[in-house]
Amino acid sequence: MSITATNTLESINPATGDVVGRVPITPVSAIAEVVAKARIAQTAWNDLGLDGRLALMQPIAERLNEEAQTIGKLITAEMGKSTAEGQGESMYGASKFASELSSAFEAFQPEEIDDEHTRSILYRDALGVSVAITPWNFPMLMPQQCILPSLMAGNCVVFKPSEETPLVGQAYADVLNEFLPKDVLQVVHGADDQGKAPVESDINRLAFTGSREVGAKIFTACGPELKRVVLELGGKDALIVLEDANLESAANFAVQNSFRNSGQVCVSTERIYVEDSIADEFENLVLEKTKEWKQGDPTDASVKIGPMVSNTQRDIVLAQLEQALKDGAKLRCGGGTHENYIEPTVLTGCSHDMQIMHDETFGPICCIQRFSGDAEAVSLANETPYGLGGAVYGETQHAMDVARKLTPGMVGINKACGGAEGTPWVGACQSGYGYHSGRDGHRQFTQVRIMSMPITEAKAKY
Ligand code: NAD
């Protein structure tokens, strides 16, 4: 991304350096007005009721399907994700739209709760104006998780996509806006200042997905007026490989989850702890499988790993790598860099004396440390302020026993951490505050209100 003298945001292709497209930056001084328009539009939007909003939004799913290939190409062009992953994100997002709408529709239904004396009806009302501030690493899916349930609940949304991926954000909002009434969903473009301005405006809900550092700033800014926040933040996910693990599948997972999207995934495997007795065999398998990760132009369908999103992100990763090598980690493969690319890299002999085992790396570096005994694995894995995801590979009951002692919000047993359809996406500890998706996640975009009457009156009337 670059900002021109005419206040235009240029989206730069990280693989080629070419300009992918441009959007006008929203002046900070105009953002209060954007929020005011959203507030005016919200009354009529809310008055449509759940049935009305569902009927109006259902056809969006088909249009997103029609646009999925184009949006997928744009994802690859703007942030360097491989073609398979770019298309995968847009197709998955489009295919989930209809089922997410239905699940939000069901989650927002009123509930009747009676006791001997009282009938209560629990309503889930709209909050008002909701803001979605999102990152670049899943530039369609992250906005969808914040925008779709918020709109279904009857809120109007002000959406600020990442400055690295403004075109995907705009393309997504344009499809929705073919169906939505005016000002129900508005987009503001820019970087930090355009993120701060809506936070400081007259809003009711803020759904932020991004780094822990920016999440903490937003939390502070929302404090004085107790503005509602949902923060989905960074992680430092551990993979524990137990003695009784299927090493072939553990190594497949280790490599896939360290390198996909160049390691730029919030639930990337950033730390691997392997039991001493099986460590040589596991490390050799990881090294062998890393060779399969062809790197290059992400528009080439055979390429699995493209560039880093930006020079800035590349430099953060390289600085951590350089420091880890100085601190004694062994470089077993990769480590090379050219332009925006970092080769898939495997480090062994890592330890908790190294920064790379503590700070979020967000790059294609697979870091392996050995342990002896479950208690040490649990203690190492939990030694972090983060708590997003994690995985344990081992015999099912053994792996489950270890997993239940871990602090993250989502832990996979012999699989990635994401839960079944309908479960929320949860960051524990400093990886999140509130959460989204699934029934409970959708409900975070509502205000609960209780209406109560004497049970006798209620029974006479209904
Ligand atoms: P980031 O925190 O730098 O930026 C995220 C968004 O916040 C961008 O749109 C940015 O313009 C905006 N912003 C920056 N400063 C702001 C401020 N002071 N006030 C308001 N908005 C501001 O994150 P990023 O580099 O875009 O994304 C990578 C991070 O996102 C990683 O830490 C990753 O783990 C995290 N992430 C988390 C999840 C999850 O589900 N928990 C999912 C995807 C990404």
Side-chain angles (χ1 to χ4, degrees):
M1 137 341 253
S2 76
I3 293 175
T4 68
T6 53
N7 242 6
T8 301
L9 193 57
E10 285 188 331
S11 174
I12 308 290
N13 182 327
T16 62
D18 296 339
V19 175
V20 186
R22 297 174 177 84
V23 291
I25 292 175
T26 312
V28 167
S29 58
I31 288 177
E33 180 61 23
V34 170
V35 172
K37 282 193 206 160
R39 189 160 300 286
I40 291 168
Q42 197 260 333
T43 307
W45 179 241
N46 193 42
D47 286 350
L48 282 177
L50 274 173
D51 292 308
R53 289 192 292 278
L54 182 69
L56 209 140
M57 288 177 74
Q58 270 168 334
I60 293 173
E62 198 183 323
R63 276 292 294 130
L64 277 177
N65 259 316
E66 288 165 6
E67 289 301 313
Q69 234 186 0
T70 310
I71 295 180
K73 280 188 188 156
L74 206 48
I75 292 174
T76 296
E78 278 202 292
M79 56 80 57
K81 195 174 271 194
S82 73
T83 296
E85 287 190 89
Q87 293 294 321
E89 177 177 349
S90 59
M91 304 275 176
Y92 178 75
S95 71
K96 286 275 287 181
F97 195 88
S99 59
E100 285 292 289
L101 270 187
S102 312
S103 114
F105 177 80
E106 279 162 30
F108 300 152
Q109 295 301 323
E111 272 175 68
E112 212 173 78
I113 303 168
D114 289 353
D115 68 16
E116 203 185 331
H117 308 289
T118 307
R119 165 155 303 165
S120 294
I121 304 161
L122 184 155
Y123 290 96
R124 296 189 171 87
D125 289 344
L127 283 152
V129 178
S130 167
V131 176
I133 300 180
T134 54
W136 44 264
N137 66 334
F138 285 92
M140 176 170 160
L141 279 183
M142 294 302 112
Q144 179 154 298
Q145 282 167 347
C146 299
I147 293 172
L148 179 154
S150 192
L151 291 175
M152 256 313 283
N155 304 295
C156 281
V157 176
V158 175
F159 167 37
K160 197 206 85 66
S162 166
E163 57 274 32
E164 301 291 355
T165 50
L167 302 176
V168 175
Q170 188 64 54
Y172 180 74
D174 285 349
V175 173
L176 270 61
N177 274 327
E178 288 175 24
F179 300 86
L180 297 172
K182 193 165 176 293
D183 296 334
V184 166
L185 170 64
Q186 300 174 80
V187 184
V188 301
H189 284 297
D192 303 13
D193 288 345
Q194 282 71 18
K196 276 186 213 159
V199 175
E200 287 160 8
S201 305
D202 174 26
I203 59 159
N204 307 97
R205 157 64 76 205
L206 190 126
F208 170 80
T209 307
S211 62
R212 182 173 64 128
E213 293 67 26
V214 174
K217 285 185 198 167
I218 290 177
F219 195 67
T220 306
C222 289
E225 291 176 37
L226 302 176
K227 287 174 183 158
R228 269 72 177 143
V229 286
V230 173
L231 306 174
E232 291 278 3
L233 309 176
K236 188 73 189 168
D237 289 13
L239 159 64
I240 296 177
V241 185
L242 300 170
E243 198 167 33
D244 44 19
N246 175 328
L247 292 192
E248 187 71 27
S249 50
N252 277 333
F253 173 77
V255 169
Q256 164 73 17
N257 213 44
S258 296
F259 300 144
R260 78 181 174 113
N261 200 17
S262 298
Q264 301 167 125
V265 178
C266 55
V267 288
S268 279
T269 293
E270 297 231 338
R271 303 174 286 152
I272 299 176
Y273 303 106
V274 56
E275 176 73 55
D276 228 342
S277 56
I278 49 150
D280 286 341
E281 195 185 341
F282 174 76
E283 288 171 4
N284 287 335
L285 281 169
V286 166
L287 289 167
E288 207 179 285
K289 290 174 191 300
T290 300
K291 289 186 203 135
E292 293 159 18
W293 279 71
K294 181 177 169 193
Q295 186 168 46
D297 172 2
T299 59
D300 172 347
S302 67
V303 159
K304 284 177 97 169
I305 177 166
M308 304 301 292
V309 70
S310 63
N311 297 345
T312 315
Q313 189 56 34
R314 177 202 59 198
D315 292 346
I316 292 170
V317 177
L318 289 178
Q320 283 194 24
L321 175 60
E322 197 182 321
Q323 190 57 48
L325 294 174
K326 273 191 200 145
D327 292 341
K330 271 196 214 128
L331 180 67
R332 300 288 296 275
C333 74
T337 174
H338 64 98
E339 294 167 355
N340 257 356
Y341 290 82
I342 300 177
E343 287 172 3
T345 298
V346 178
L347 300 181
T348 59
C350 294
S351 80
H352 272 218
D353 296 335
M354 298 170 187
Q355 176 203 16
I356 205 160
M357 296 301 274
H358 296 283
D359 293 354
E360 188 176 38
T361 305
F362 233 50
I365 319 285
C366 176
C367 299
I368 306 178
Q369 174 168 353
R370 297 180 179 204
F371 70 85
S372 177
D374 294 356
E376 190 186 7
V378 169
S379 155
L380 288 167
N382 286 344
E383 198 185 302
T384 173
Y386 290 105
L388 189 53
V392 183
Y393 273 69
E395 181 278 321
T396 314
Q397 188 58 54
H398 182 194
M400 186 63 168
D401 291 345
V402 169
R404 289 293 294 135
K405 297 192 172 102
L406 301 179
T407 49
M410 301 173 287
V411 181
I413 313 291
N414 295 320
K415 67 176 280 301
C417 67
E421 183 93 26
T423 53
W425 186 256
V426 184
C429 310
Q430 293 185 30
S431 285
Y433 189 88
Y435 46 85
H436 55 56
S437 299
R439 186 194 60 186
D440 296 334
H442 295 330
R443 287 177 174 170
Q444 307 228 351
F445 293 92
T446 63
Q447 173 63 55
V448 167
R449 286 201 175 86
I450 312 290
M451 303 295 139
S452 294
M453 64 186 83
I455 193 86
T456 43
E457 280 181 40
K459 284 194 172 154
K461 176 141 176 65
Y462 297 114

